[in-house]
Amino acid sequence: MAKLFEPIKIGNLTLKNRIVMAPMCMYAVYQEDGELTDFHEAHYASRAIGGVGLIFLEAAAVSKAGRITNQDLGIWNEQQTIKLKKLVHTIHELGSKVGIQIAHAGRKAEHAPDAVGPSAIAYSEAYRTPNALTEEGVNNIINEFKTAAARAENAGFDAVQIHAAHGYLINQFLSPLTNNRTDDYGAQTLENRYRLLKQIIEVTKTVFSGNIWVRFSATDYDDASTTIEEYDQINQWMKELGVDVVDVSSGGLLPRRPDAVYPGYQTKYASHFKAYSDLFISTVGKLGDPVLANYILEAGQADLISLGRPLLRNPNWAAIAAKELNDKQFEAYNPSYSRGFDE
Ligand SMILES: Cc1cc2nc3c(=O)[nH]c(=O)nc-3n(C[C@H](O)[C@H](O)[C@H](O)COP(=O)(O)O)c2cc1C
């Protein structure tokens, strides 16, 4: 059996294969109420039918003000939770496990009347300058993450992914380029910059019994920002707190792009963390070639393959990958789907 299709046990969660759907905003909540729509249900159910081991729902805001846009999913009220619970049930019926990414956009909240951040530093000229959060404001946001995690528990999710990547609020606290506070959450020490993430993990742990994932940007593409060695330390702290998996992404803090984006361009960071930490490691970024994805697992560079765009292009990516890797054990959700490969 190709490694991509080998089951994996992470804490109390067993996945049938190593294929993970990365969180991807659909910006499709046209009622602006943060609630799932029929489209979302069909969208995620299709990927479950397609054989994805673990499906992450897109960034769901922990508060109305924490949305990237008004079309984002939310996880701050009961009606949202009822709909999420129904989708979790559907995805389980279709044979996949399901998680949700919980997020706060911070200074990158595009539609909020008043964006907030660790410090009053704007993302770019196109964005408004955020209000620096007071300590009370920070505590409120930690509480919002806690409530969101409790709702995720209630909805039956197998995993939550705390969004600490791509320049959103937690990433903003982690970096000395966006955080010039002088209090306990401030820039003087790594421990201080990490404190918000730490406290969010701690409160999540008290209410959520499933897998805890953290997604971070291994590099912000600026030497003056958080370093890989600092993330090694953060990983050690997160392991001690009971985090299960880190999903290693990059960028988004500053308006700049990596010099080169090629298949597996972020996997060098994942393989570093795989070598230097005891956490399960997920890699993401242009991994749509099944041979490459399988090789990364075989070579021990990561434990899981997260896919974004490949699963937008093709919800049946797993079946195609099984065919390409000559994996005869792959079982389509419905046996008739196998007929799709008849000559
Ligand atoms: C349409 C779209 C929406 C995305 N939304 C999110 C998101 O909600 N949260 C997140 O962490 N990353 C988001 N991403 C990034 C993806 O999860 C993924 O990391 C990125 O696309 C690189 O992986 P890929 O090459 O497999 O697409 C998004 C990407 C796309 C294409």
Side-chain angles (χ1 to χ4, degrees), residues 22-26 58-59 101 161 163 166 215 249 265 284-287 306-310 312:
M24 279 179 291
C25 287
M26 294 290 105
E58 65 207 76
Q101 188 181 54
Q161 182 177 117
H163 199 350
H166 303 166
R215 177 174 250 208
S249 191
Y265 70 106
V284 66
K286 282 185 88 76
L287 299 173
S306 288
L307 301 171
R309 290 162 294 180
L312 292 184

Side-chain angles (χ1 to χ4, degrees), residues 193-208:
R193 284 188 272 132
Y194 164 68
R195 195 172 309 282
L196 174 65
L197 176 55
K198 172 178 180 267
Q199 293 179 340
I200 288 172
I201 296 166
E202 282 170 347
V203 294
T204 299
K205 268 308 244 194
T206 64
V207 294
F208 189 75

